[in-house]
Amino acid sequence: MTVDIHSMSDTYQLNNGVKIPAIGLGTWQTPDGDIAKNAVKDAINLGYRLIDTAAAYGNEVSIGKGIRESGVNRYDLFITTKLWNDMHGYKKTNEAIDKSLEKLDVDYIDLYLIHWPNPVGIRDHWAELNAESWRAMEEAQIAGKIRAIGVSNFRREHLDEILKTASLRPAVNQIYLNPSDMQEDVTSYNEELGILNEAYSPLGRGGLFNNETVVEVAKHYDKTPAQVLLRWSLQHQFVPLPKSVHRDRMKENAAIFDFAISEEDMQALDHLHGVAEMATDPDNTDF
Ligand SMILES: NC(=O)C1=CN([C@@H]2O[C@H](COP(=O)(O)OP(=O)(O)OC[C@H]3O[C@@H](n4cnc5c(N)ncnc54)[C@H](OP(=O)(O)O)[C@@H]3O)[C@@H](O)[C@H]2O)C=CC1
Ligand SMILES: O=C(O)C(=O)[C@@H](O)[C@H](O)C(=O)CO
C-alpha cells in the first residue's frame, strides 16, 4: 500500500484494487442546502476528489447536487457515505444503501462504511448485526452499487469479529486520528490487515490550532497549524478528511504538498497525546 503522495490527485490502492484519493473533504455539520452544495463545488474546483458524507449528516442530497454541478466527471470523483446506527442488519442495510444512492442521485457509491460498530440499540447483538450488515454490503459491492466497503470507529475486537464471517475484507477503517490521539493499537492492526487508515477530525475539530508544539512546528515550515496537522496525517499515510465550508480554508488545507515535516518534528507531534479531545469509545456511544 505504500506510495509516495505528491499532489491532490495522487491515490492509494485499496486492498480490492480500487484507488482512493490521498485527502478528502469532510462534511459533518455542513448544513444541507446551498452551503453543502457550494462547499462540494468549491472543493472539487480546488482539486479535492474525495467527499466524505454519511446518512446521519443529512446532507447527501445537496452533496449529490454539488457533485453534478462541479463539472468534473463522476468517474473522477470518490464519494464515501455510511450506514447509520439505526440501520444495522441485512434488510435495513440494503434499504440504507438504496436510500443513499437515491439521495446522492448517483449510480454507485465509491466507499460505504459501517459508521459505528456498537451503538445503543444493537448492543445485545452487535456482532451478529454487523455480520448481517456486512453481508448486505458485500452483495451490494458485487452488484456494482458500491466499489469498496469498509468500517468506521472499529477497534481490534470489532474487526476480529467481522472477519469471522466476512468474505471480503474491509478496505478502510475511518477513525478519529490526529496528534492528540494516534490510536496506535488500531492503526497498526489496520496496517497488519491491509486496511487503510482514514483520519477523521484531522484538525482536532480546531482544538489543536493553538497548541504550542503545533504552532512551533508550523513556524519551521512557514505553514499554518492546519497545514502541519494535515501534513502529519499524510506522512503517516492516513487519508485526512478536513471539514470546512470556507473556500479559503479548503485551499489552505490543500496546500500541503510543497513541504515535508522532519522526523524530529513528526516525533514531537506524535507525542501530543491527550491535548485535544480523545476518540469516542465505540462501546460507549449513546447517540
Ligand atoms: N466516521 C465518523 O464517526 C466521523 C467522521 N468524521 C468525518 O471527518 C470529517 C472531519 O472531522 P471534523 O470532526 O469535522 O473535524 P476537523 O478536524 O476536520 O475540523 C473541522 C473544524 O475546523 C474548521 N476548519 C477547517 N479548516 C480550517 C482552517 N484551515 N483554519 C481554521 N479552521 C478550520 C472547520 O470550520 P469551517 O467549516 O467553518 O471552516 C470546523 O469547525 C467530518 O466532517 C466527517 O466527514 C468526523 C467525525 C466522526
Ligand atoms: O460525525 C460523525 O460521523 C459522527 O459519527 C460523530 O461525530 C457523532 O455523530 C457524534 O460525535 C455525535 O456527537
Side-chain angles (χ1 to χ4, degrees):
M1 196 155 71
T2 304
V3 289
D4 284 334
I5 297 295
H6 299 292
S7 76
M8 293 283 277
S9 52
D10 283 342
T11 54
Y12 294 102
Q13 189 162 306
L14 298 174
N15 60 19
N16 69 346
V18 166
K19 289 186 174 165
I20 183 169
I23 181 170
L25 178 78
T27 67
W28 177 41
Q29 295 178 317
T30 297
D32 198 28
D34 282 349
I35 295 183
K37 185 180 79 175
N38 291 331
V40 168
K41 283 167 70 178
D42 281 343
I44 294 174
N45 178 260
L46 287 165
Y48 288 76
R49 291 294 175 263
L50 189 175
I51 311 292
D52 183 81
T53 183
Y57 302 169
N59 55 20
E60 288 174 306
V61 169
S62 307
I63 285 185
K65 282 188 188 149
I67 289 163
R68 279 187 299 286
E69 290 182 20
S70 71
V72 171
N73 195 313
R74 167 71 184 96
Y75 298 103
D76 293 326
L77 300 172
F78 190 101
I79 318 301
T80 302
T81 192
K82 316 184 189 92
L83 178 78
W84 190 236
N85 297 342
D86 55 355
M87 297 303 278
H88 287 236
Y90 180 78
K91 190 166 174 284
K92 283 190 182 177
T93 299
N94 277 319
E95 287 166 20
I97 292 168
D98 287 341
K99 185 54 89 182
S100 284
L101 283 165
E102 186 189 316
K103 286 193 164 176
L104 287 161
D105 197 7
V106 290
D107 295 333
Y108 65 89
I109 291 159
D110 293 276
L111 177 65
Y112 194 76
L113 308 176
I114 298 182
H115 205 142
W116 289 90
N118 189 10
V120 164
I122 77 160
R123 199 122 314 154
D124 292 343
H125 304 286
W126 67 267
E128 186 189 325
L129 284 170
N130 284 341
E132 286 299 289
S133 290
W134 196 252
R135 185 162 66 86
M137 289 161 66
E138 290 177 332
E139 287 178 10
Q141 182 177 317
I142 290 161
K145 293 181 181 184
I146 299 172
R147 294 178 69 224
I149 55 179
V151 295
S152 175
N153 298 296
F154 272 47
R155 287 204 180 131
R156 279 173 183 257
E157 62 271 26
H158 306 119
L159 289 169
D160 285 342
E161 201 55 49
I162 211 159
L163 288 172
K164 286 183 188 166
T165 53
S167 306
L168 301 175
R169 185 170 282 214
V172 165
N173 190 3
Q174 183 182 120
I175 57 176
Y176 181 87
L177 266 184
N178 59 52
S180 76
D181 191 357
M182 286 184 69
Q183 302 213 55
E184 278 151 310
D185 51 336
V186 186
T187 55
S188 59
Y189 201 44
N190 286 338
E191 279 160 28
E192 212 176 289
L193 294 170
I195 299 173
L196 182 87
N197 286 301
E198 264 194 326
Y200 79 66
S201 307
L203 304 171
R205 300 179 180 164
L208 285 168
F209 292 154
N210 295 321
N211 175 265
E212 225 174 86
T213 308
V214 175
V215 170
E216 194 50 42
V217 171
K219 279 189 201 151
H220 296 172
Y221 307 96
D222 201 15
K223 287 286 177 180
T224 64
Q227 289 168 331
V228 156
L229 292 165
L230 297 170
R231 181 74 207 182
W232 172 90
S233 217
L234 277 191
Q235 288 185 212
H236 276 295
Q237 305 215 311
F238 306 150
V239 171
L241 304 168
K243 175 262 179 187
S244 185
V245 293
H246 297 103
R247 194 179 200 279
D248 54 341
R249 289 179 174 176
M250 292 178 201
K251 192 172 175 192
E252 173 187 334
N253 295 345
I256 55 172
F257 297 97
D258 57 353
F259 76 114
I261 302 175
S262 70
E263 206 159 302
E264 193 186 343
D265 285 341
M266 283 297 284
Q267 278 174 18
L269 292 168
D270 283 354
H271 294 107
L272 295 187
H273 298 286
V275 300
E277 62 184 293
M278 302 291 283
T280 306
D281 178 352
D283 291 326
N284 214 3
T285 49
D286 56 4
F287 44 81

